[in-house]
């Protein structure tokens, strides 16, 4: 029998406390994953998390974590602006990596990560694995089968209103340092495109294939945010609208905006308009369409009506038993893609090449907005 993969978590903030650490510490994983080390520069946070979940090692230094943590693979859940540097160091140290969403903020950095991983024989999975979702796989097939005729345009995106500054996990209680969300509003790595619109972009490009060019408008709409009685100035754009060209006259509009979310996760999945109808989220011409696992999704408290949450998380790979009651199930499903890939050689669809294409779209959108020029894209997956 293969030994369990020794796993480490980098960054013990909101997503790690809400989902990653509780999932990875679950007893039912014991024969596949052993959570052996946590890392975060805030000593009280990392020590508290290690104690709460029985993780044997807690590090405040990333370098020491890589050197002494004894892990085979890591999930990087630190601010997006440090992902590239941490990723390169981890690969140099021989670790497989799962990135919590965007693995870098430039295409060139993504190239470097992919090249180094290949050179070292290591694997990278970068969230979000939107093409693991059964309904997205079904939408791709319906479009290929011409169910809505010829697709002419599509719409997807993410809107957030108040943002990560409101997450309840940020107040950890007496004696523990609150989790500061300022980085979500700073460069590099802040703004909704790298953190939220990535869902829409992974889904849409997974369904339609790689985009060929981007044109965008982008700016700051809400100049200040507040956290713990403190003002956070917005430095990264919080309002971006982009047009994607998929070739052959097929276009899409994708947004990442500070406007309040009106349709929950619907636009993470997107709407596809064709000459004979439309697919909007989970509905084909206004009626729910079927896909593998929908019979299970509808038994969840949300009735399986949210494309990105609730019952539709339950039907992702490895979301069973206790894992259906722990948050951030899609992120755990992505982490397990790495675990299965490393242990069983089963390649994930959540590839670094797909993630690089999404990074290129975001980078090109900002460049287009700054220059007023359409940006051609070079990467495929
Ligand atoms: N919060 C969410 O809803 C959510 C959901 C899914 C994925 N994500 C992704 O997960 C990542 C983390 O997001 P979050 O909301 O948990 O952030 P957060 O601000 O809540 O926490 C970040 C943590 O990283 C730590 N940190 C800062 N610099 C570090 C470094 N150099 N090395 C190690 N740790 C460092 C901070 O001390 C903090 O504990 C981001 O990439 C985000 O896009 C977030």
């Amino acid at each position: 029998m293969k030994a369990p993969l020794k796993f480490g978590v980098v960054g013990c903030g909101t997503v790690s406390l809400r989902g990653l650490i509780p999932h990875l510490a679950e007893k039912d994983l014991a024969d596949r994953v052993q959570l052996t080390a946590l890392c975060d520069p805030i000593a009280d946070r990392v020590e508290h998390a290690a104690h709460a979940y029985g993780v044997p090692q807690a590090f405040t230094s990333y370098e020491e974590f890589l050197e002494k943590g004894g892990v085979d693979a890591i999930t990087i859940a630190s601010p997006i602006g440090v992902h590239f540097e941490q990723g390169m160091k981890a690969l140099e140290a021989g670790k497989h990596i799962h990135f919590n969403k965007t693995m870098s903020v430039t295409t060139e950095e993504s190239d470097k990560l992919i090249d180094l991983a290949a050179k070292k024989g290591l694997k990278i999975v970068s969230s979000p694995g939107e093409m693991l979702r059964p309904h997205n796989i079904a939408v791709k097939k319906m479009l290929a089968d011409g169910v809505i005729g010829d697709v002419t345009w599509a719409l997807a995106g993410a809107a957030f209103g108040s943002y990560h500054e409101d997450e309840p996990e940020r107040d950890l209680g007496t004696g523990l340092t609150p989790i500061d969300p300022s980085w979500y509003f700073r460069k590099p790595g802040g703004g909704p495109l790298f953190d939220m619109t990535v869902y829409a972009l992974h889904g849409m490009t997974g369904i339609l294939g790689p985009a060929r060019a981007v044109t965008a408008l982008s700016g700051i709409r809400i100049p200040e945010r507040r956290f713990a009685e403190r003002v956070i100035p917005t430095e990264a754009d919080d309002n971006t609208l982009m047009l994607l060209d998929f070739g052959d006259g097929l276009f899409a509009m994708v947004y990442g905006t500070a406007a309040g979310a009106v349709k929950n996760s619907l636009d993470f999945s997107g709407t596809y308009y064709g000459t004979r109808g439309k697919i909007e989220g989970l509905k084909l011409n206004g009626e729910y369409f079927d896909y593998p696992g929908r019979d299970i999704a509808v038994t969840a408290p949300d009735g399986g009506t949210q494309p990105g949450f609730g019952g539709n998380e339950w039907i992702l790979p490895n979301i069973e038993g206790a894992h259906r009651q722990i948050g951030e199930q899609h992120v755990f499903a992505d982490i397990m893609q790495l675990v299965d890939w490393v242990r069983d050689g089963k390649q994930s669809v959540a590839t670094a090449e797909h993630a690089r294409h999404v990074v290129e779209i975001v980078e090109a959108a900002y460049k287009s907005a700054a220059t007023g020029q359409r940006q051609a894209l070079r990467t495929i997956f």
Side-chain angles (χ1 to χ4, degrees):
M1 221 171 70
K2 285 178 204 146
L5 203 62
K6 291 200 178 75
F7 220 88
V9 176
V10 181
C12 298
T14 312
V15 75
S16 295
L17 296 175
R18 181 165 62 218
L20 310 193
I21 300 171
H23 278 294
L24 289 167
E26 256 305 310
K27 300 277 172 290
D28 66 357
L29 289 185
D31 57 344
R32 289 198 282 167
V33 180
Q34 202 181 335
L35 182 55
T36 37
L38 304 180
C39 172
D40 195 293
I42 308 291
D44 63 72
R45 188 172 306 153
V46 68
E47 278 157 20
H48 183 76
H51 180 72
Y53 291 96
V55 184
Q57 301 175 92
F59 295 91
T60 51
S61 152
Y62 181 63
E63 288 69 24
E64 213 179 311
F65 160 84
L66 289 178
E67 200 188 322
K68 300 183 184 159
V71 296
D72 307 310
I74 62 174
T75 178
I76 297 186
S78 52
I80 288 170
V82 298
H83 284 187
F84 168 67
E85 190 192 328
Q86 290 190 328
M88 292 297 283
K89 284 184 180 170
L91 293 170
E92 287 293 359
K95 317 297 178 194
H96 302 283
I97 308 174
H98 165 258
F99 286 100
N100 284 276
K101 291 186 256 187
T102 321
M103 63 184 186
S104 70
V105 295
T106 71
T107 321
E108 207 181 313
E109 287 173 354
S110 299
D111 288 341
K112 288 183 180 156
L113 287 165
I114 289 170
D115 290 350
L116 186 57
K119 197 172 125 201
K120 295 268 184 183
L122 296 165
K123 297 175 177 45
I124 296 176
V125 167
S126 188
S127 280
E130 288 300 283
M131 291 316 290
L132 295 170
R133 295 189 183 276
H135 67 81
N136 278 343
I137 297 167
V139 170
K140 187 179 173 102
K141 181 163 188 327
M142 281 191 280
L143 297 189
D145 291 348
V147 169
I148 59 167
D150 292 311
V151 186
T152 62
W153 75 288
L155 171 68
F160 52 86
S162 72
Y163 199 27
H164 290 279
E165 71 268 34
D166 281 350
E167 288 167 300
E169 293 88 348
R170 293 195 179 275
D171 178 2
L172 293 169
T174 316
L176 293 171
T177 312
I179 310 172
D180 188 337
S182 306
W183 72 267
Y184 274 113
F185 306 96
R186 281 202 300 258
K187 289 180 183 175
L193 298 188
F194 288 123
D195 173 60
M196 303 273 281
T197 306
V198 283
Y199 290 98
L201 286 170
H202 271 263
M204 181 176 277
T205 53
I207 287 167
L208 296 179
R212 299 190 188 170
V214 181
T215 307
L217 296 176
S218 188
I220 293 173
R221 186 69 183 137
I222 312 295
E224 287 180 348
R225 300 269 167 177
R226 295 195 87 79
F227 175 72
E229 311 290 314
R230 198 163 45 79
V231 170
I232 305 173
T234 309
E235 292 163 8
D237 289 358
D238 62 3
N239 211 27
T240 306
L241 300 184
M242 62 176 99
L243 294 173
L244 300 188
D245 183 348
F246 283 91
D248 302 322
L250 171 57
F251 306 129
M253 200 187 97
V254 177
Y255 61 86
T257 174
V262 284
K263 291 193 287 181
N264 297 314
S265 62
L266 187 60
D267 277 357
F268 280 12
S269 280
T271 302
Y272 297 86
Y273 298 91
T275 50
R276 291 203 306 274
K278 72 169 177 179
I279 296 172
E280 186 176 30
L282 302 173
K283 292 182 178 174
L284 166 64
N285 296 325
E287 304 285 336
Y288 284 105
F289 59 81
D290 201 15
Y291 46 86
R294 181 159 188 267
D295 53 329
I296 296 167
V298 298
T299 65
D302 75 329
T305 54
Q306 291 297 316
F309 307 113
N312 283 298
E313 299 268 276
W314 286 10
I315 60 175
L316 286 167
N318 287 301
I319 307 302
E320 287 162 4
H323 298 281
R324 288 189 179 169
Q325 308 309 321
I326 301 172
E328 303 292 350
Q329 290 158 22
H330 63 286
V331 185
F332 172 64
D334 291 346
I335 291 176
M336 293 307 291
Q337 292 289 300
L338 179 66
V339 171
D340 290 343
W341 191 0
V342 173
R343 295 186 77 239
D344 309 329
K346 195 177 125 207
Q347 175 158 11
S348 173
V349 298
T351 61
E353 286 77 7
H354 191 175
R356 171 175 59 186
H357 184 64
V358 169
V359 168
E360 187 183 21
I361 292 173
V362 174
E363 189 186 14
Y366 287 137
K367 240 184 239 167
S368 171
T371 60
Q373 303 288 313
R374 169 191 165 96
Q375 302 290 314
L377 301 173
R378 69 168 166 87
T379 62
I380 52 169
F381 58 93

